[in-house]
Amino acid sequence: MQQLSKTSGNNRRMTLRDFIRLIMAFFLCLVVLSFYQNIRLYIAGVIDGIFTKSLLLLIIHHIGFTSLIGLFIAFVFNFIEGKKAGLGLKVTALLFFCILIIEGLLIEFYISNYEILGAGFLEVYNSRTTLSALMFSLLLLIPGMAGLFILFYKVTVKIYGTISRMYPFTIVLFSLFLATLTSDKKPVNENKLQYLAYSIADDVFDFNKYEGEEEYPLLHTYVSDKSLVPYFNLGDEKPNLVFIVVEGLGSDFVGDRSNYRGFTPFLDSLQEKSLYWTNYLSNAGESYAALPCILGSLPFGENGFTNSSDSPARQTIYGILKKSNYTTSFNYGGNSALNHLDKFLYEERVDFLLDNKGFGRTYKKQEEDAAGISLGYPDKELYKKWQKDHFSSNKPRLDVFFTLSSKKPFLIPQKEAYLLQVDKILSQEKMAARPSKLVRKNKEVFASILYADSALKSFFSSYAKNSDYANTIFIITGSHNLTDLPMEDNLGRYRVPLLIYSPLLKEPSKITSLASHLDVVPSILGLLESRYEVTIPTEVAWLGKGLIHEGVFDSTKKIPLMRHNSNIQDFVKGSHFLSGGDLYNLDSELNLTDSDASFVKQKVKENHKYFKAVNKYVINNDKIIPASLTLFAQLKSDPSKQEMVWINSVFNGSDYDNAYDTARELAFKGDTKRALLLSGYILSQVPGHADTEILMGRIHAWEGRYDIAIDILEGAIQKYPIYADGYAALLDVFFWSDNNQSALSLQRIIERNNIQNKELQNKISRSLKRIEEKKELETANKV
């Protein structure tokens, strides 16, 4: 910025006229960035023209932003300039330049992701922008903006006379800023840095705290939702449940109202045989955050449920059905440790957890991206692996699939063949100009959707050969709408399909009730409970109410929506949608119109504010449900002060192996109470201490608390799948509790993990022998 001071002389004190020239240069640079944004969006086929109303609104908002920034920086300019002539101009010029660079980066992110960044922006930006892309943007922005800024500053010298005749500077700027407050703001026409600053300020200065009297504000008496019952012919045996959560599968691709017809031919045909929800929403704009909503009707916390520092007690469909004799699995081609999904699943005592570590050499990973990273195994490999490992048992099954192929960077197998299919669909389908242009500009996206749909078709064809297919219910939905394509409005990222297909269905039906991922658990469990013995707690804390109600809208239904971490700015209440402080009316197809009902807006804002306060409170304080309603044993302990004195007397250091030896010795001597106390303390400090966890399971089994022992040991083998001691302990508990059938299921896991251990084989043989003896005894008694 040295050239700026040279243009005005080096020795004189800079005046307000010089500062105004900086402001004007800053504003003109913002105008250039506005044109850059619209040109890029037009080339990508996102908008219909460059010189649009949104461009004019964007420039108007830049005027307001420039005015606001100018007011604040004017004080910096005057203060520093008073200390040293010329320095104030240099410092403020540098400030303006840095703001331009940040605005440029935010615009680049918006152009690439069609999303404006708000609170929690760093994690979102890092997850979607590579270092090479950032460096490339900076290499273009820094010299480009510097050149333009200096050029515009020089040009403004010609209008000194006009500047000198302006009204008092601060009054003019403040008036311009006030004029933009009531103008229409949308991501495409809003100053990106101003939005980011407001969003961060709202988050930082959010002193909204839960101050209610109820210790567990989400807890309520369980009321069975029977809304799905009339649609099914349930048999005598409990049905299998298969959940398929497809990455990025939005309503833009499936159904009669989709913007891009023809790219999900299998799902389009399947919805004609299914229960199909035409007005359905994901509660989260991030894939991983959708799973706790679907499987547990759970709140988000500040960073998504699975990212909470301490895992709050909860009741999910996994836990409830496991307690009702279901075999459970989670199947994912990627890394389940990301966002702590594996921890969430371990705590739910999932029987089988398949992720990228469990495939083996016969399966081919997805190609690596430019950074040399592969997301994991593509959808067809995932389904193929499950089908190979699948085995029939005398138990019903709950299988959950989480896909990844329809996710950036869209490196699917046989990519060229699917790209040719995209071209074929473009030539056959009668699309409007804008969708057609977007497809042509993003062929790899639509190729991945075609691949994901084809993988589903293969999976269903394969599954139909299983003996239990006729007694299976499939629940298919999207994690969220694919954000790599532009959205029609702020609700667009949450619009996803929901299909429930089963040979047990009486007939297909289209359901118009507005529902969300949070409503799945209450309805599915209500369906099962209507016919079978399913143990559901008397009190639950689910956020959802159920999938079906009369009409499109239920005036009492509240649907919270989390765009990404630390960003719960969207909220649905009845037929109203609140987004970023603006209220919209929803019609029967979830189209948005502006609402000027101030009373309604205030009520919806109050509901939104209350949810955010409760959401934060229940997660941070473990207040979703009381400990008495938990489904599985908690391993961590919270010792009293007196107990801590004893713990410190026997262990006061960092050698937790030594502490384990002490706990083990206490257990062998019969002091199981103190052994459990010390074990709980060890696990509170070192959650991954496998031997301690197994010891706790054994202690409970020795004292006859077999259910607790099984819970703990099943969790242990999930976390440590190749550690033989965990299996040995669990086989003992199955034998002692006369639960030898479960030993057969465990045998399959042992074989799957390729554990060669003579002791384990002897224990399995012992269980098999006991099963045979029991059968012989039953036969003899019948005779």
Side-chain angles (χ1 to χ4, degrees):
M1 297 297 128
Q2 184 69 28
Q3 294 185 36
L4 293 175
S5 60
K6 288 180 180 179
T7 61
S8 300
N10 289 323
N11 297 320
R12 73 175 179 89
R13 186 180 187 277
M14 300 301 167
T15 66
L16 204 55
R17 290 202 308 171
D18 300 296
F19 180 68
I20 292 176
R21 289 175 58 202
L22 280 183
I23 291 177
M24 295 185 71
F26 174 74
F27 169 69
L28 290 172
C29 286
L30 288 176
V31 172
V32 172
L33 286 174
S34 302
F35 277 96
Y36 170 75
Q37 171 189 288
N38 273 30
I39 290 169
R40 284 282 305 277
L41 291 174
Y42 175 71
I43 292 172
V46 178
I47 59 177
D48 298 327
I50 298 170
F51 299 96
T52 61
K53 180 183 176 182
S54 67
L55 177 64
L56 177 61
L57 286 170
L58 179 55
I59 292 172
I60 291 172
H61 290 145
H62 282 328
I63 293 173
F65 179 69
T66 302
S67 305
L68 181 62
I69 290 294
L71 279 171
F72 283 106
I73 296 182
F75 293 103
V76 178
F77 170 80
N78 280 323
F79 177 77
I80 299 177
E81 196 65 30
K83 298 290 184 182
K84 184 178 179 181
L87 184 60
L89 188 77
K90 293 178 183 178
V91 171
T92 51
L94 183 61
L95 285 174
F96 280 125
F97 179 71
C98 290
I99 292 170
L100 285 172
I101 297 301
I102 295 171
E103 178 71 11
L105 290 174
L106 293 173
I107 287 173
E108 190 64 37
F109 182 88
Y110 177 70
I111 292 168
S112 302
N113 297 277
Y114 311 111
E115 178 182 351
I116 189 167
L117 285 171
F121 71 98
L122 276 178
E123 184 175 345
V124 179
Y125 188 86
N126 289 336
S127 66
R128 301 188 192 176
T129 307
T130 62
L131 180 61
S132 58
L134 173 61
M135 295 305 297
F136 182 73
S137 297
L138 289 174
L139 285 172
L140 292 178
L141 270 172
I142 291 173
M145 282 295 100
L148 285 172
F149 192 48
I150 294 168
L151 173 65
F152 289 141
Y153 182 78
K154 290 179 178 180
V155 169
T156 55
V157 74
K158 298 177 182 180
I159 54 173
Y160 255 13
T162 303
I163 295 172
S164 64
R165 292 192 295 271
M166 290 174 67
Y167 286 99
F169 172 66
T170 55
I171 296 176
V172 173
L173 291 183
F174 192 63
S175 299
L176 289 171
F177 170 63
L178 290 177
T180 63
L181 290 179
T182 56
S183 57
D184 186 35
K185 287 186 174 70
K186 297 289 189 296
V188 72
N189 63 42
E190 187 165 6
N191 180 280
K192 309 303 184 286
L193 181 55
Q194 183 176 344
Y195 177 89
L196 176 61
Y198 283 177
S199 180
I200 292 172
D202 283 344
D203 186 58
V204 171
F205 296 106
D206 180 14
F207 301 114
N208 178 30
K209 299 271 192 301
Y210 172 70
E211 296 177 347
E213 295 181 358
E214 295 179 351
E215 186 179 4
Y216 299 93
L218 296 180
L219 194 65
H220 57 272
T221 302
Y222 170 70
V223 178
S224 182
D225 172 38
K226 299 293 196 298
S227 60
L228 286 177
V229 174
Y231 296 91
F232 284 86
N233 280 318
L234 296 176
D236 295 332
E237 301 294 328
K238 292 177 183 174
N240 298 323
L241 297 176
V242 176
F243 283 79
I244 304 175
V245 183
V246 182
E247 169 71 40
L249 181 69
S251 296
D252 283 349
F253 306 103
V254 183
D256 298 333
R257 294 177 356 216
S258 61
N259 294 326
Y260 310 105
R261 293 284 295 166
F263 293 98
T264 55
F266 173 70
L267 282 175
D268 286 338
S269 66
L270 190 66
Q271 63 129 331
E272 298 296 332
K273 310 170 190 174
S274 306
L275 300 182
Y276 176 67
W277 275 255
T278 58
N279 297 309
Y280 188 76
L281 301 175
S282 166
N283 297 93
E286 299 285 353
S287 303
Y288 72 89
L291 289 170
C293 296
I294 297 169
L295 302 173
S297 196
L298 290 165
F300 315 117
E302 296 181 75
N303 300 302
F305 185 90
T306 60
N307 284 327
S308 54
S309 55
D310 291 316
S311 299
R314 70 272 184 175
Q315 303 150 333
T316 74
I317 195 169
Y318 264 134
I320 289 171
L321 292 187
K322 186 173 177 64
K323 288 289 187 180
S324 300
N325 205 37
Y326 270 73
T327 296
T328 60
S329 80
F330 180 81
N331 306 273
Y332 178 44
N335 181 4
S336 65
L338 295 176
N339 295 294
H340 310 292
L341 281 179
D342 56 350
K343 181 172 177 284
F344 173 79
L345 297 163
Y346 292 147
E347 290 168 348
E348 293 303 315
R349 306 296 196 267
V350 173
D351 294 310
F352 303 95
L353 197 167
L354 171 66
D355 72 354
N356 60 1
K357 298 184 290 293
F359 278 78
R361 296 179 181 177
T362 58
Y363 297 88
K364 188 174 181 180
K365 265 190 175 182
Q366 183 172 295
E367 288 182 24
E368 295 177 348
D369 60 17
I373 298 171
S374 170
L375 290 179
Y377 292 87
D379 296 359
K380 287 188 178 182
E381 297 291 89
L382 173 68
Y383 297 134
K384 190 195 305 181
K385 172 67 173 172
W386 181 86
Q387 190 64 34
K388 181 184 177 184
D389 291 346
H390 168 266
F391 63 94
S392 299
S393 70
N394 61 344
K395 290 184 177 183
R397 303 178 60 95
L398 166 61
D399 297 297
V400 178
F401 295 86
F402 186 30
T403 75
L404 55 72
S405 292
S406 43
K407 182 177 184 177
K408 202 171 186 177
F410 310 110
L411 297 173
I412 57 171
Q414 299 176 304
K415 185 175 180 178
E416 293 304 319
Y418 287 100
L419 287 171
L420 289 174
Q421 286 190 45
V422 173
D423 290 332
K424 184 177 180 181
I425 292 169
L426 275 170
S427 65
Q428 293 176 346
E429 290 286 339
K430 294 181 179 179
M431 290 186 197
R434 181 173 179 271
S436 177
K437 188 174 182 180
L438 284 169
V439 173
R440 294 179 195 281
K441 293 290 184 180
N442 299 277
K443 288 185 180 181
E444 73 284 354
V445 174
F446 292 91
S448 75
I449 295 294
L450 279 168
Y451 171 81
D453 184 75
S454 174
L456 276 171
K457 181 179 180 180
S458 300
F459 173 68
F460 271 79
S461 297
S462 178
Y463 199 108
K465 299 173 184 177
N466 295 338
S467 59
D468 49 4
Y469 169 73
N471 194 37
T472 301
I473 298 172
F474 299 88
I475 300 100
I476 307 167
T477 188
S479 59
H480 58 86
N481 204 355
L482 199 64
T483 54
D484 298 272
L485 298 170
M487 299 296 154
E488 296 290 337
D489 49 53
N490 285 351
L491 193 62
R493 70 184 300 123
Y494 308 106
R495 289 191 179 103
V496 294
L498 174 67
L499 293 80
I500 298 182
Y501 169 76
S502 176
L504 300 170
L505 276 175
K506 294 178 181 178
E507 60 182 6
S509 181
K510 288 188 178 180
I511 297 167
T512 61
S513 300
L514 174 60
S516 75
H517 283 343
L518 295 172
D519 297 307
V520 172
V521 164
S523 287
I524 295 296
L525 289 178
L527 172 67
L528 296 179
E529 189 199 25
S530 70
R531 171 80 177 179
Y532 311 105
E533 186 178 336
V534 177
T535 306
I536 300 176
T538 55
E539 290 184 292
V540 296
W542 300 327
L543 292 175
K545 297 178 64 177
L547 290 167
I548 302 176
H549 51 258
E550 188 175 345
V552 176
F553 302 106
D554 175 353
S555 61
T556 65
K557 177 169 278 190
K558 306 176 185 71
I559 304 178
L561 304 165
M562 184 180 80
R563 292 188 199 177
H564 47 72
N565 290 355
S566 302
N567 196 325
I568 309 174
Q569 296 192 29
D570 303 324
F571 190 81
V572 173
K573 169 72 164 61
S575 60
H576 300 284
F577 173 52
L578 183 71
S579 180
D582 296 321
L583 187 69
Y584 303 90
N585 296 321
L586 298 171
D587 68 12
S588 60
E589 294 185 352
L590 302 190
N591 297 310
L592 274 57
T593 55
D594 292 337
S595 174
D596 56 0
S598 57
F599 175 75
V600 175
K601 183 175 183 179
Q602 183 60 33
K603 294 297 291 183
V604 177
K605 278 189 170 183
E606 288 173 3
N607 278 272
H608 180 221
K609 183 178 179 181
Y610 177 76
F611 170 77
K612 290 203 295 182
V614 168
N615 171 68
K616 188 182 295 187
Y617 164 78
V618 297
I619 297 293
N620 292 347
N621 298 284
D622 192 6
K623 295 296 182 182
I624 298 178
I625 60 172
S628 59
L629 293 176
T630 55
L631 298 170
F632 299 109
Q634 299 297 303
L635 301 184
K636 293 183 180 181
S637 65
D638 186 16
S640 66
K641 292 180 181 179
Q642 184 179 8
E643 289 170 335
M644 275 307 303
V645 171
W646 174 80
I647 290 172
N648 291 332
S649 72
V650 296
F651 171 68
N652 188 10
S654 57
D655 186 352
Y656 289 95
D657 288 336
N658 181 46
Y660 161 73
D661 290 338
T662 302
R664 184 169 177 269
E665 186 177 347
L666 286 168
F668 287 165
K669 289 180 178 179
D671 193 351
T672 54
K673 183 178 179 180
R674 283 188 166 176
L676 287 173
L677 176 62
L678 183 55
S679 296
Y681 176 74
I682 294 169
L683 291 172
S684 71
Q685 304 302 308
V686 188
H689 203 284
D691 288 325
T692 300
E693 196 165 341
I694 294 167
L695 176 63
M696 287 187 77
R698 284 194 176 278
I699 291 171
H700 284 292
W702 294 338
E703 299 191 338
R705 296 185 292 274
Y706 297 126
D707 287 346
I708 295 176
I710 290 170
D711 285 346
I712 293 173
L713 293 171
E714 284 184 335
I717 65 170
Q718 277 297 313
K719 291 184 222 177
Y720 324 112
I722 59 172
Y723 193 33
D725 281 9
Y727 295 99
L730 188 53
L731 286 168
D732 282 340
V733 179
F734 285 151
F735 184 76
W736 297 335
S737 61
D738 198 23
N739 191 12
N740 291 288
Q741 282 294 141
S742 295
L744 302 183
S745 298
L746 195 60
Q747 181 183 19
R748 177 74 177 186
I749 301 174
I750 293 169
E751 292 172 352
R752 178 180 175 181
N753 288 301
N754 197 29
I755 301 172
Q756 306 294 327
N757 186 286
K758 184 68 174 177
E759 181 187 7
L760 297 184
Q761 294 304 317
N762 290 338
K763 289 179 185 291
I764 291 169
S765 298
R766 178 183 63 179
S767 291
L768 289 171
K769 183 179 180 182
R770 178 63 60 86
I771 291 171
E772 290 300 320
E773 289 174 351
K774 197 171 182 179
K775 285 182 180 178
E776 291 174 2
L777 183 61
E778 289 174 354
T779 302
N781 288 335
K782 288 179 181 178
V783 175

